[in-house]
Amino acid sequence: MTNSLPVRFAICGVGHIGRRHAALVARHDGAELAALIDTRADLQPGLAAEFPGVPFFTSLEEYLQTGPAADVLTVATPNGLHAPQAVAGLRHGLHVVIEKPIALHKADAETIVHTALQTGRLVFGVMQNRYSPPAAWLKQVVDEGRLGQVFLVQLNCFWNRDARYYKSGGWKGTQTLDGGTLFTQFSHFVDLLYWVFGDITNIGARFRDFTHEGLTEFEDSGLVTFDLVRGGSGTLSYSTAVWDRNLESSLTVVAERGSLRIAGQYMDKVEYCHLEGYEMPELPATNPANNYGAFQGSAANHVQVIENVVDTVQRRSFATTNALEGLKVVEIIERIYALRPIIKHG
């Protein structure tokens, strides 16, 4: 461990997930919380109590013009704001951490990548599911060639997001700031697909809106088919129309040398593994899911994300999720959504 100066973070967007980032930064020995930024001035008293002495700004522009120096800007605002705010931070000389998705359009994600290259700054995409023990195990098994040729990959993501989640007047559910179910709810699973199995091609899809008329401007369910560029085929079935609570997130693989299945509500356990000449190791426990009151999301692995950012900025490690990988996830979702018609209910 080198005696490096603490890595200073400014957090832009201090809603549920931004507040989690702020708390983890504040607790990290190698990090320092430099500033909090949110357009909702009413958050300031609560934040001042939780993070005493940390200055608060009501716009990113105000912070960049008048705020204290920082090393990293964390962007945890609505999806549609990620790209312009990340680019502003990079141009200001800051490294940038971007909550998923890094953008809602491939062109915007490319602008982030190019700006990072021009400024010599780092970009970290928050894809914390990669730190989940079953996901890390799957990546290792595939990289070691233990599956042989992959035949079929099946992803199922069946969650509940209803009127309790899509509050009227909020950004969630809008096309411009939310972007769609695959961006906000299930981009982690598209990332897992790409990270482990590579790119996809020959995409087919159908989309339905069963229960979200008046709540969202896009589909709540989709059935996607594809071929893997490396060989094999796959399906992605997803829905936020599950009644009352999340059902499951699962990944099943049928391959030349065996089959496996990761499942649970959040792909948090290996349910089946039968591979030729292979004995399943004991995996560490998966962190509990992010809790949003009535809702739960993916595993709460943000502590490893912060750890990786600090180590990388202090040149002791490298980024586990870089901007190019974030761009690929956006590009894959955009290719799927290019097949999406204007949805009519029923």
Side-chain angles (χ1 to χ4, degrees):
M1 186 88 171
T2 57
N3 293 320
S4 303
L5 292 169
V7 176
R8 300 162 297 178
F9 286 75
I11 312 284
C12 184
V14 203
H16 180 90
I17 214 70
R19 211 166 184 136
R20 179 186 291 277
H21 278 273
L24 290 168
V25 166
R27 287 207 298 268
H28 195 291
D29 287 343
E32 183 181 298
L33 194 56
L36 297 166
I37 307 152
D38 203 292
T39 55
R40 295 164 297 173
D42 57 298
L43 294 178
Q44 185 171 6
L47 291 168
E50 190 175 349
F51 307 107
V54 178
F56 179 87
F57 301 86
T58 53
S59 74
L60 179 59
E61 293 71 26
E62 183 196 1
Y63 164 72
L64 293 176
Q65 285 167 14
T66 66
D71 305 295
V72 178
L73 175 70
T74 297
V75 178
T77 48
N79 300 346
L81 302 177
H82 289 183
Q85 291 178 336
V87 167
L90 290 167
R91 289 191 175 139
H92 196 74
L94 299 166
H95 303 296
V96 177
V97 174
I98 316 174
E99 263 296 337
K100 57 79 187 167
I102 69 164
L104 290 180
H105 303 285
K106 180 188 176 187
D108 294 335
E110 286 175 336
T111 302
I112 293 171
V113 171
H114 293 154
T115 308
L117 290 170
Q118 288 160 3
T119 57
R121 301 291 92 183
L122 299 168
V123 174
F124 303 82
V126 177
M127 286 297 178
Q128 79 274 12
N129 280 24
R130 294 186 180 195
Y131 293 102
S132 184
W137 167 80
L138 173 68
K139 171 75 168 163
Q140 183 180 356
V141 164
V142 172
D143 285 356
E144 288 173 355
R146 294 185 184 276
L147 295 179
Q149 177 60 49
V150 173
F151 299 150
L152 294 173
V153 175
Q154 180 190 59
L155 270 163
N156 290 330
C157 307
F158 300 135
W159 285 7
N160 163 267
R161 292 291 185 270
D162 54 26
R164 295 171 294 181
Y165 177 84
Y166 292 107
K167 300 187 173 55
S168 62
W171 65 271
K172 290 170 180 167
T174 65
Q175 193 64 62
T176 51
L177 289 181
D178 182 322
T181 311
L182 284 177
F183 279 118
T184 302
Q185 272 70 50
F186 301 130
S187 62
H188 286 300
F189 304 108
V190 176
D191 174 67
L192 189 67
L193 175 69
Y194 173 69
W195 184 50
V196 175
F197 299 103
D199 208 351
I200 64 173
T201 186
N202 195 25
I203 299 168
R206 62 199 309 177
F207 305 93
R208 297 293 298 274
D209 183 14
F210 294 111
T211 62
H212 288 70
E213 189 174 20
L215 291 177
T216 72
E217 296 174 356
F218 42 74
E219 88 294 349
D220 60 27
S221 304
L223 303 168
V224 183
T225 60
F226 53 85
D227 291 328
L228 296 166
V229 170
R230 297 176 190 168
S233 295
T235 60
L236 165 60
S237 304
Y238 67 92
S239 182
T240 53
V242 177
W243 178 72
D244 193 49
R245 68 181 183 204
N246 290 357
L247 172 60
E248 71 159 5
S249 311
S250 68
L251 172 70
T252 304
V253 184
V254 176
E256 180 184 4
R257 298 199 187 116
S259 306
L260 58 84
R261 178 176 160 84
I262 299 175
Q265 275 193 60
Y266 316 101
M267 270 190 219
D268 50 355
K269 51 183 178 280
V270 179
E271 262 188 10
Y272 184 86
C273 174
H274 185 54
L275 303 179
E276 182 186 343
Y278 180 75
E279 192 171 324
M280 180 77 205
E282 190 78 27
L283 298 183
T286 302
N287 284 336
N290 282 317
N291 196 325
Y292 306 99
F295 302 93
Q296 290 188 307
S298 299
N301 296 324
H302 282 77
V303 63
Q304 288 102 320
V305 174
I306 305 297
E307 189 79 37
N308 179 243
V309 173
V310 170
D311 286 351
T312 305
V313 170
Q314 293 182 341
R315 305 190 174 201
R316 292 195 302 269
S317 184
F318 59 91
T320 51
T321 46
N322 61 47
L324 276 173
E325 291 176 311
L327 183 153
K328 278 302 300 184
V329 172
V330 172
E331 189 250 349
I332 289 169
I333 294 174
E334 195 168 57
R335 278 192 282 146
I336 293 170
Y337 274 165
L339 305 173
R340 184 171 58 173
I342 295 171
I343 309 286
K344 296 294 179 193
H345 188 70

